Amino acid sequence: MIEIKNLKASVDEKEILKGLNLSIGKGEVHAIMGPNGSGKSTLSYALSGKEGYNVSGEIKFNKKNLLELNTEERAQEGVFLALQYPTEIPGVFTKNFLRTSLNSIRKANGESELNAIEFLKILKEKSTELKIDDEMLARPLNVGFSGGEKKRNEILQMALLEPSFIIMDETDSGLDIDALKVVSNGVNSLRDPDRSFLIITHYQRLLNYIKPDFVHVLSDGKIVKTGDWKLALDLEKEGYGQFIN
Amino acid sequence: MENYENIKVNFDSFIQSLKSNADDIEFRKKSFNHFLTNGFPKAKDEEWKYSPLTKDLNKFLSVEFGKSTEQNFPEELKENYDHYPIIFIDGNLQLENVQENGLKIVKNEKFLKSVKKEGTNPVLNFTNAFADEGYLIEVEPNTIISKPIVVYNFYSKNFSSNFVSAKNFILINESSEITIFEKNIYNSDQEYLITSNTEVFLAKNSKLKKYNVNEENKHSTIFNFTKANLDEGSELEHFTFSKNINSCRDETIVNLNGKNSFASVSGIQSLLDNNNHEIKLIINHNEEFTESSQFIKSALHDSSTAAFQGKIFVDSQAQKTDGYQLSRALLLSDKARFFSKPELEIYADDVKCSHGSSSGSIDNESIFYLRSRGIDETDAKEMMIKGFLAEVIDKLKDDRFKKIFFSKLGHDSENV
Ligand SMILES: Nc1ncnc2c1ncn2[C@@H]1O[C@H](COP(=O)(O)OP(=O)(O)O)[C@@H](O)[C@H]1O
Ligand SMILES: [Mg+2]
């Protein structure tokens, strides 16, 4: 369902992704592992359409070339990126943001917008599962949230928006074991034959909870090795040294 | 030098027509003469360096009085909650009978005459010379007025003069509380000069929330002056919402005269076109254990200009004081401009004072985050601007007015 061909991304003169190929089938969970600076976050931005990168190649998603769509159009199409560092936005209230987001996507897909009552009902349901209380939702977006709260908020957005392609950028970093379990349970409950995942992580730990179908190693802007989830175990033991020249 | 001959003639005929006592006439004459020594302020005057008034006041070298023929205030413009209205129609005060123990709302005649001292501010002197209407709100001791007072400054289509000036008094006696909401409604595109001088006295342990709205005025030149004196343990929350205002200077002086008094002066300004708005604040910590906060946010579109001059003064005997000041501006066009001049003047050593000022464009990371959740770029920007301004509203203590200001901003609050 996602076909990435010869993807290159650069900032100014610096080439970060150097011809990356990857294909992710419907319902599959792929993990990308790689050392710091290998281009993992850049890949997530290239997929979600962040401005400021010079991107070439092809990203086929539902028969469309994502590179021709802007950020919000990709989101409306079903692409979701859980950020490594979710942005704090003072003055924009979390609940209001969530409703605006959900309704923007519904509208773009020709569905009716939800009124406050309909929305709050769905929100209640999804937030309870993720142990997110009302007080947190009443706060400005991510402002004063702990690391764990920010990541749970990202999972909540995923659960609400029901995207078909989810990219998670180091969602596990900075989480203690309890928060990691909450986050993994949230992700696992979203696993679906029609939904694909690309899980970016630096450590193998998360993959004990969310078991991937494939593991890829990203080094210097390219995928240098692909395997099943056991590859993650090897990496944990041996480190990335073997892939860095 | 401008020619003030016309204004002199205006003043003489104004004084002739005034039914007032000798003291009042004397004070007005003194104020007017003081005004004449330097005339309207110039951009080279340090105190008026950033003021839009320096270029606009010269349009008013002749002021016409003449009363409006308008008698009616459109009922549909009234706020839709229970309140005590004070209505100015083209500067003429219309009062309804107020039946509440401990609350007095009258024309301010008595106090208009009681103030003797002329100041050095030329526009204030000008206002004091000419102001002929105004309200007096007094709350008796130990009285909590739960219904807000709403002051409507309404400008009708039937007003052909070019000048309105008011002098108001607010007196909150010991252990009393009140909320006053003042809004300007312009139903006319005329070029007016509108000036006001509001004096506020807060007695021991009293509380005043004073909220102002000034919006949608394409042609007028406005000067609002407020001076508040706070006794021991009293609290002032002063907030001004300014939106799409042609030319305006809001000047506020707060004297923290009693221990444990607290003043919060905040404002947001959303400016378009060639709007030019200046906020000038002076907070004087004259006594120990006093606390103040200044919080101003500006969203500047097109070729608009905003200026903020905020001063924290701490007297040598005002130990253990806490003064806070923050001013932030969002520049939404290459042509928008923001001037900030924070001043600290501190003569005591055991004080906590902080100030900060910043201006910049919308944060790209935040825009990306919103867009990555399916929100269109224009909507995302709009959300960011509203959110930026909403932060000031969010800090207000009054839930009713918080909601009112949020909806003025078109910003849904946490209630979705
Ligand atoms: N906007 C940018 N400007 C300049 N260099 C960048 C930018 N974004 C990323 N880089 C560089 O590209 C490389 C890959 O970064 P990144 O994708 O964040 O890696 P990872 O997420 O794998 O740690 C790093 O060397 C980083 O410094
Ligand atoms: Mg990264």
Side-chain angles (χ1 to χ4, degrees), chain A residues 11 14 16 35-42 53:
Chain A
V11 175
K14 186 181 158 79
I16 303 170
N36 281 330
S38 56
K40 300 187 298 293
S41 291
T42 304
Y53 295 86

Side-chain angles (χ1 to χ4, degrees), chain A residues 40-41 84 169-170:
Chain A
K40 300 187 298 293
S41 291
Q84 181 170 4
D169 189 6
E170 300 209 28

Side-chain angles (χ1 to χ4, degrees), chain A residues 50-51 72 81 101 154 157, chain B residues 365 369 371 373-374 411:
Chain A
K50 188 175 186 177
E51 286 169 10
E72 56 267 34
L81 166 63
S101 166
E154 295 289 286
Q157 292 164 43
Chain B
E365 293 297 320
Y369 189 49
R371 293 177 71 190
R373 299 304 181 248
H411 183 89

